[in-house]
């Protein structure tokens, strides 16, 4: 499968372990990624709140770059915030020929690019796993089943809301895909109160205490449900849940010690890659429970798990 690959700015800056783990996992899933290295930020929040047209122009440019990749009409991202922002932008561009022409005028003048309606499909890696590769195929590629690893899904806001825009319905239960992927990899899905809630990142610069309380509450809920780790398809969620976790502990007044994995890291573990190969040493909260589990499996502890 060939895809135009949009890593997003966060995965190349703040969370390079996400970008790196995706690069390692892709060949194991026969995904050929053509990186859109000239693409810019999707503008979610920061740019869009101040200048929606600028954000739409930036995303239109990214879509136009993806449309230039030969042999595919599929663009893949690894950031659910990008997914939400870009889906909203694409909906606006596709809904109005007049607005689309206006954006294309700017693109043509600046870079000679044009966005064409109906040519490109943009999917987060999570959606691609379920809808393009398929759960049965994913299951067949597992080399180290995540047996006995208790994983809490953390979706983040932009990949589950609003449901109509994101195409979530009975035919495409995208708000259950993380659950399904964890199960396909052999892990145990841990249900907890915060799995569909906001991580708190969007308000951290305006109300840091409220943001940290949100993160701490979700992490505490997962700990109380006996999760070994969380997994998220959003690097911004990862920043608030992992990078800010020591501050969240102080804010909520309890120890949390909850490892937070990027989705490609969890997939990579099941496909046989080691925690170090997946960049887990870069996490603020050391994923000791995951590393211990991986070591036990490799070492043959647990019988059925090691097989």
């Amino acid at each position: 499968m060939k895809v135009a690959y949009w890593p997003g700015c966060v995965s190349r800056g703040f969370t390079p372990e996400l970008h790196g783990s995706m690069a390692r996992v892709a060949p194991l899933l026969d995904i050929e990624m053509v990186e859109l290295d000239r693409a810019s930020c999707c503008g979610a929040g920061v740019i869009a709140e101040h200048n929606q047209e600028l954000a739409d122009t930036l995303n239109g440019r990214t879509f136009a770059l993806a449309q230039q990749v030969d042999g595919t009409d599929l663009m893949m991202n690894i950031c659910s915030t990008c997914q939400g922002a870009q889906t909203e932008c694409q909906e606006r561009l596709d809904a109005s020929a007049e607005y689309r022409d206006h954006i294309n005028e700017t693109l043509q003048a600046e870079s000679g690019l044009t966005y064409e309606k109906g040519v490109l499909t943009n999917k987060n890696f999570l959606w691609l796993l379920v809808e393009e590769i398929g759960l049965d195929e994913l299951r067949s590629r597992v080399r180290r089943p995540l047996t006995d690893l208790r994983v809490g899904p953390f979706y983040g806001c932009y990949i589950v809301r609003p449901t109509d825009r994101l195409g979530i319905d009975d035919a495409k239960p995208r708000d259950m895909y993380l659950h399904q992927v964890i199960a396909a990899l052999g892990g145990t899905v841990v249900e907890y109160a915060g799995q569909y809630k906001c991580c708190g990142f969007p308000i951290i610069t305006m109300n840091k205490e409220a943001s940290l309380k949100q993160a701490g509450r979700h992490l505490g809920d997962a700990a109380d449900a006996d999760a070994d780790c969380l997994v998220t398809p959003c690097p911004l969620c990862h920043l608030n849940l992992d990078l800010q976790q020591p501050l969240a502990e102080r804010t909520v007044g309890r120890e949390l010690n909850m490892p937070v994995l990027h989705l490609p890291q969890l997939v990579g573990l099941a496909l046989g890659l080691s925690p170090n190969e997946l960049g887990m040493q870069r996490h603020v909260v050391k994923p000791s429970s995951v590393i211990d589990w991986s070591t036990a499996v490799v070492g043959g502890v647990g019988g059925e798990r090691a097989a």
Side-chain angles (χ1 to χ4, degrees):
M1 182 189 306
K2 187 176 184 180
V3 298
Y5 172 47
W6 164 230
C9 47
V10 178
S11 77
R12 291 183 293 190
F14 286 106
T15 60
E17 70 278 4
L18 168 56
H19 189 30
S21 58
M22 188 66 245
R24 284 187 172 271
V25 165
L28 301 179
L29 295 172
D30 291 331
I31 299 173
E32 179 188 351
M33 301 191 304
V34 180
E35 185 174 345
L36 303 175
D37 56 3
R38 290 173 52 217
S40 54
C41 175
C42 72
V46 181
I47 298 175
E49 286 176 9
H50 294 279
N51 190 330
Q52 187 66 68
E53 183 180 322
L54 174 58
D56 288 347
T57 304
L58 291 173
N59 285 314
R61 178 176 175 274
T62 297
F63 299 151
L65 288 170
Q67 288 175 341
Q68 289 188 328
V69 177
D70 291 334
T72 184
D73 58 3
L74 184 60
M75 179 172 125
M76 184 187 81
N77 68 79
I78 51 173
C79 175
S80 66
T81 299
C82 291
Q83 180 70 64
Q86 290 177 334
T87 299
E88 181 181 353
C89 168
Q90 195 168 20
E91 183 180 77
R92 267 193 301 274
L93 292 175
D94 290 352
S96 169
E98 183 181 355
Y99 184 55
R100 187 168 62 253
D101 289 344
H102 175 65
I103 296 297
N104 277 332
E105 245 182 74
T106 303
L107 292 178
Q108 277 287 318
E110 293 295 325
S111 55
L113 294 168
T114 300
Y115 167 68
E116 295 180 46
K117 175 184 176 180
V119 174
L120 183 73
T121 300
N122 181 29
K123 291 188 178 183
N124 185 269
F125 177 53
L126 174 61
W127 294 358
L128 184 134
L129 280 174
V130 178
E131 297 171 3
E132 304 295 332
I133 293 174
L135 292 170
D136 288 341
E137 179 63 24
L138 177 63
R139 199 175 289 113
S140 74
R141 291 174 183 253
V142 170
R143 296 293 172 265
R144 184 197 292 138
L146 306 183
T147 311
D148 296 339
L149 189 67
R150 295 176 55 80
V151 184
F154 193 90
Y155 285 82
C157 302
Y158 287 91
I159 204 167
V160 291
R161 292 182 287 273
T163 55
D164 289 347
R165 176 178 293 146
L166 294 169
I168 299 172
D169 53 28
D170 291 342
K172 285 185 180 177
R174 288 170 162 172
D175 54 351
M176 290 299 294
Y177 280 4
L178 261 184
H179 291 66
Q180 294 172 358
V181 167
I182 293 167
L185 299 176
T188 300
V189 178
V190 176
E191 302 274 1
Y192 65 105
Q195 60 192 6
Y196 290 112
K197 295 180 180 177
C198 176
C199 70
F201 183 87
I203 62 169
I204 196 163
T205 58
M206 295 172 283
N207 191 332
K208 190 168 186 177
E209 184 177 0
S211 174
L212 294 173
K213 278 183 180 178
Q214 281 182 258
R217 185 164 57 248
H218 304 330
L219 292 162
D221 287 343
D224 292 341
D226 295 324
D228 293 318
C229 64
L230 298 184
V231 63
T232 181
C234 181
L236 294 176
C237 291
H238 191 275
L239 287 178
N240 224 41
L241 298 174
D242 177 65
L243 177 65
Q244 301 287 358
Q245 193 172 144
L247 293 177
E249 286 184 329
R250 284 181 238 162
T251 303
V252 298
R254 62 173 290 186
E255 184 179 355
L256 297 168
N257 196 29
M258 178 57 61
V260 184
L261 305 188
H262 301 286
L263 179 58
Q265 289 180 321
L266 189 75
V267 174
L269 273 179
L271 297 184
L273 297 172
S274 71
N276 273 353
E277 288 176 304
L278 296 165
M280 291 187 193
Q281 68 277 8
R282 297 187 58 91
H283 293 201
V284 170
V285 179
K286 185 179 180 182
S288 300
S289 56
V290 178
I291 293 170
D292 290 346
W293 172 88
S294 176
T295 302
V297 173
V298 172
V301 177
E304 185 179 349
R305 287 195 307 179

